[in-house]
Amino acid sequence: MSKKAEGYISSMRKQICRLGYITPLIAAIVVAGYFVRPTLYSLHQRWTQWDGPYSHGYLLVIVCLSMIAGRLPGLVRGRVVQWRYIPLCIGPALIWSFGYTTQINAISQISIPLMIMTLLLPWIGLRGASRLLPALFLLFLAIPVWEVLLPILRTITTHAASMAVKSVQIPAYIDGYSFSLPAGTVVIAGSCAGLSYFLMGLVLSCLNAMHRRLGKKDAILSICLLVGLSILGNWIRVISLILIAYYSNMESPLVEEHGQFGWWIFAALFILFLLLTRSMPERPAKNETDVSMSWLMSMSPAALVISVALTVSIPFILQNRTIANADYRMVSDSTLTPETSGKLLGDLNIGFQGFDQAEVFTLNKNGRDWVVGRLVYTAQAQGKELVSDINVLTTSPTDILAPVMTKYGETQVEQSKDKQPKLLMWQYLVGQTHASKSWNAKLSQFFETLKGRPVVALWFAMIECGDQSCDEELKSLASGDIPLDYLIDAMRLYDQSGD
């Protein structure tokens, strides 16, 4: 057999052994991915927004996972399973579960790269993990949490554009992010901050440094160079668009559609980056040691099963706890008179969205007519959650008053400013827990769901005031004459008898 054929067979043998070892780990990651599929779908939605800042997501994940898979054989050869790292698999499961139950996508998305790391740790250890850190770090650049940089990037872009406009003496009135020109106004919106170019520059420069095996100093220098060029390119784009808008009297097509224009500038600067860094010395590749089938023996099936079980344990429990979610306590108090919820909610200008069931009742207590109700969420999701910044008790203007204490904790109190003022009271009902603060309600959701009580609701009560200042009602509230305990007790979701 020729040496060329022997080399080819040896190379194929290495690849087969590498694939044989990595396949169980890939299967483990796929199993974990199945249990966190709602989060993976949310990432898919962001990564397929081709004009968004995370359109690089799929490409980045494929490259990073390929790099991890390629380096694994050299990291695990001759090692035994390090059992002490296996309990760490429960950490990402807890992080994902908290984000999932509280509908905070960023938290559940951050847990995905951490799951991959903890599944690998028993076979590569901390020293091996340090070799994979660059690739694992890059995975975080595909997680949609980098909007925190938008205000900074937007501000420095505005300052750069302002200096450019003043230097060329274009007549423009600059107010914040707006540039008022004689023919119209150009606004530096969030999409003009350059986040997509910043992230793409960071990703490409890191991949370039890893691929070329640059030294630490040269790697840092090259990364800073391309990130700086990416920011500069966005400044050139914004300044050019202002000039184009001015000289074309706002009639150029680029004024309305300039996404592709920015990427052409980025491409030109990326070529410049490659030319500037081509002389940086590359470290020689390490000789790859021979691959043997003994790698397959170093993977303990028991350790793999335990790692996966710990990773998916809490997600599995949560998903089963939320399946049978219609077992909450129905309102059966005979003193409450059911009302047509749709009409009454419209009259009250209720500002909550996404609830699955609205239950509204009237009650005559101490000669006064009350409206009391709860908006029930039997299933929650991102954009369809109880606790959200967009959810307000009423869309009418209100004054927030001091909360009052009941046997179920604090109850929030607001006074509407309608022609016929109303006194409004509300609480979050989270499983068996009562909360008035958003953070407390979010935290309670996790523990209540684990206990099999995933249903949540907004409890509210309303009474029309006798005068514009609601003096009589506020005095009754302070003295305890208003039966808040009774009204909350009648509308609670779960009985208080144990877990």
Side-chain angles (χ1 to χ4, degrees), residues 149-423:
L149 298 175
L150 276 177
I152 300 173
L153 294 173
R154 191 180 182 191
T155 299
I156 61 175
T157 299
T158 303
H159 284 316
S162 299
M163 293 175 61
V165 167
K166 292 175 182 178
S167 65
V168 297
Q169 298 182 346
I170 287 180
Y173 174 70
I174 303 172
D175 181 19
Y177 302 117
S178 299
F179 291 72
S180 297
L181 305 173
T185 301
V186 176
V187 179
I188 301 179
S191 58
C192 298
L195 179 60
S196 54
Y197 308 115
F198 173 85
L199 290 177
M200 187 61 76
L202 187 56
V203 166
L204 291 178
S205 59
C206 288
L207 291 176
N208 175 71
M210 294 169 66
H211 175 71
R212 295 181 58 192
R213 297 183 177 87
L214 298 178
K216 185 180 296 185
K217 182 178 178 181
D218 287 336
I220 294 174
L221 181 61
S222 67
I223 291 171
C224 292
L225 175 61
L226 186 53
V227 169
L229 288 174
S230 302
I231 295 174
L232 176 63
N234 187 59
W235 293 355
I236 295 173
R237 178 180 75 109
V238 172
I239 294 168
S240 299
L241 290 172
I242 294 174
L243 295 175
I244 291 170
Y246 173 70
Y247 287 110
S248 70
N249 292 321
M250 305 293 289
E251 293 180 0
S252 172
L254 286 176
V255 176
E256 297 295 333
E257 181 54 52
H258 43 260
Q260 195 175 34
F261 175 65
W263 286 115
W264 280 112
I265 295 176
F266 179 87
L269 291 175
F270 181 65
I271 294 174
L272 175 62
F273 162 78
L274 294 177
L275 293 174
L276 292 174
T277 58
R278 65 179 179 177
S279 61
M280 287 183 173
E282 302 179 13
R283 291 181 297 178
K286 294 182 179 180
N287 293 328
E288 188 174 300
T289 56
D290 189 27
V291 182
S292 69
M293 291 298 290
S294 63
W295 283 3
L296 296 174
M297 304 303 296
S298 69
M299 171 173 286
S300 167
L304 184 63
V305 170
I306 293 172
S307 299
V308 176
L310 289 176
T311 300
V312 304
S313 57
I314 299 180
F316 176 78
I317 293 171
L318 282 172
Q319 290 183 21
N320 279 275
R321 292 286 190 176
T322 55
I323 290 174
N325 58 11
D327 57 347
Y328 61 98
R329 177 179 175 272
M330 304 300 293
V331 179
S332 58
D333 196 312
S334 60
T335 62
L336 299 176
T337 303
E339 294 290 336
T340 304
S341 60
K343 181 179 185 302
L344 199 51
L345 289 177
D347 293 340
L348 295 175
N349 297 323
I350 294 294
F352 272 69
Q353 304 173 15
F355 50 86
D356 300 296
Q357 180 71 32
E359 300 162 335
V360 182
F361 304 86
T362 56
L363 170 70
N364 187 278
K365 194 76 171 177
N366 300 330
R368 301 296 302 275
D369 290 325
W370 286 80
V371 174
V372 60
R374 67 183 186 187
L375 308 178
V376 181
Y377 294 74
T378 57
Q380 297 188 82
Q382 186 76 23
K384 183 189 175 300
E385 65 266 45
L386 171 68
V387 182
S388 170
D389 291 337
I390 64 173
N391 282 345
V392 291
L393 179 59
T394 176
T395 55
S396 301
T398 62
D399 288 326
I400 299 176
L401 308 179
V404 296
M405 287 298 300
T406 69
K407 71 176 183 179
Y408 295 103
E410 275 191 356
T411 300
Q412 296 294 335
V413 182
E414 300 181 26
Q415 179 181 341
S416 73
K417 298 180 180 180
D418 298 326
K419 291 183 179 179
Q420 178 59 56
K422 303 178 185 69
L423 203 60

